[in-house]
Amino acid sequence: MSASTATAVTAGNPAGVPDLTTGEEVARDIEVPWGLAFLPGGDALVTQRNSGQILRVSPGRALEQVYEVPGVAARGEGGLLGLAVSPQYAENGYVYAYFTADADNRIIRFRLDGTPEVIFDGIAKAANHDGGRIAFGPDDMLYVGTGDAGQGARAQDPASPNGKILRLTPDGDPAPGNPIPGSPVYSLGHRNVQGLAWDRAGRLFAAEFGQRAFDEINRIEPGRNYGWPLVEGMGGADRGFTDPQLVWVPSEASPSGIAIAADTLYVAALRGERLWTAILHDGVASEPAAQLEDYGRLRTVDIAPDGALWLTTSNTDGRGDIRAGDDRIIRFPAR
C-alpha cells in the first residue's frame, strides 16, 4: 500500500453537489476494496474483501491498517464485505461489518481496539450472491442487504434471511415495527442486494444484481415483495409484486453501491464500468445518465460528511482489467 498521491484536497461544501469533473485520488493500491464508512471526523474506513483487513483512509496521509476481522473465509464473491459506523460512534465506538465465515455470512460489531461480537448469523453463503451491504437508516436501525446464495426459493421464504433486506436493532435483534413482529425481514423477493441509500425524505432505495435480463434499482417499502425468482425486472405488479424504478441489462450496470446527495441518486456499476446518475422527484427516479467511464469497475459510492462523493474501483476482484494504481479511491468535492 502507498500513500495517497493527493497531498491536499479541495475543501468540501456539505450543502453543495459533488462535482464529477474534478476527481482527486485519495488512495491507491488497495486490494479488492468493498465496504466504506465514514467516521465522525471525516476519515473513512474501508474493507479489503480477501484479506479481512480494514484500512483508515485520510486524504493526504498514508493508508493505515486499523483492524483485521478474524475468521474471514474469502471465496468467490464472499469475504469481508459491508461496513457501517454506529450513529452513536462518539459514545460507543462501534463499527459493524458483514463478512463470510466458514459456515455462513454474519454481522459483527467491534471497537477498533477490541474483540468482535457476532450480533447476527445464519445467513447462507455461497460462491455467488452473498449480498453484504449494511447501513444505518434515518431511524438508527441497521439495514442489511442479503443475497439468495444461489437458491432463488430462499428469496420467497419469509423464514430465511437470504434474498432479503433485513432491519435490525444495533444489538442485532429484529427491529420494532418490522412487517412481521419478531422477524428481521423488512422486504423480500431479492436476488442479490448490493446497495442501500435513503433520500432526504427518508425513502429507502436499493440496488440489486439481476440474472441475465435486468439489473434493478428498487424503492423499498416495508413488507413488499420484489418478485425474485418469479419475476426479473418489470412485469410483476399484476401478480402482487413491486416493480423496480430503474432497470438495465447487466452488461451496462451490475449495480453495486449507491448513494444519494440532494436529489441525485448515484449508482456504481461493476460490469458496466461507469457511474449512473438519476434525479429523484418525490421518490421517483428519472431516466439515468452515464458518467465516469474511465475508471473501470466501480464497487462503492458514498457521500462524506463534507458533501464530497467517494468512489472505489474494483479492478482487482478477479473480473476486471487492472490499471496502474488499482484499486483506487477517488474523491469528488462538493461545490
Side-chain angles (χ1 to χ4, degrees), residues 42 48 56 74 119-120 127 145 217:
Q48 294 190 126
R56 185 168 185 151
I119 65 163
F120 194 91
I217 295 292

Side-chain angles (χ1 to χ4, degrees), residues 3-19:
S4 164
T5 58
T7 56
V9 296
T10 303
N13 174 12
V17 176
D19 182 355

Side-chain angles (χ1 to χ4, degrees), residues 40 85-94:
V85 170
S86 167
Q88 287 77 44
Y89 181 85
E91 290 77 38
N92 60 34
Y94 280 134

Side-chain angles (χ1 to χ4, degrees), residues 30-192:
I30 304 174
E31 298 174 4
V32 198
W34 211 102
L36 183 151
F38 290 99
L39 296 171
D43 287 355
L45 299 178
V46 178
T47 64
Q48 294 190 126
R49 186 186 70 185
N50 295 348
S51 70
Q53 296 174 349
I54 297 176
L55 309 176
R56 185 168 185 151
V57 181
S58 180
R61 301 178 63 180
L63 296 172
E64 177 188 6
Q65 181 185 329
V66 292
Y67 203 81
E68 184 167 346
V69 174
V72 172
R75 177 174 173 265
E77 294 174 357
L80 180 56
L81 304 175
L83 200 64
V85 170
S86 167
Q88 287 77 44
Y89 181 85
E91 290 77 38
N92 60 34
Y94 280 134
V95 177
Y96 293 72
Y98 181 118
F99 75 98
T100 310
D102 285 335
D104 58 9
N105 289 303
R106 53 183 53 191
I107 301 167
I108 57 172
R109 69 178 177 185
F110 53 92
R111 298 181 178 92
L112 294 178
D113 60 354
T115 302
E117 169 194 5
V118 177
I119 65 163
F120 194 91
D121 58 9
I123 305 168
K125 65 176 238 181
N128 300 307
H129 307 186
D130 286 295
R133 195 69 63 179
I134 60 175
F136 279 95
D139 56 2
D140 288 351
M141 296 294 117
L142 182 65
Y143 291 74
V144 181
T146 72
D148 66 9
Q151 296 188 24
R154 290 175 171 142
Q156 292 296 322
D157 179 0
S160 170
N162 286 83
K164 309 293 191 301
I165 293 176
L166 311 177
R167 179 172 173 265
L168 308 174
T169 69
D171 295 328
D173 299 318
N178 279 356
I180 301 174
S183 169
V185 174
Y186 191 69
S187 64
L188 70 160
H190 299 288
R191 182 173 181 266
N192 194 9

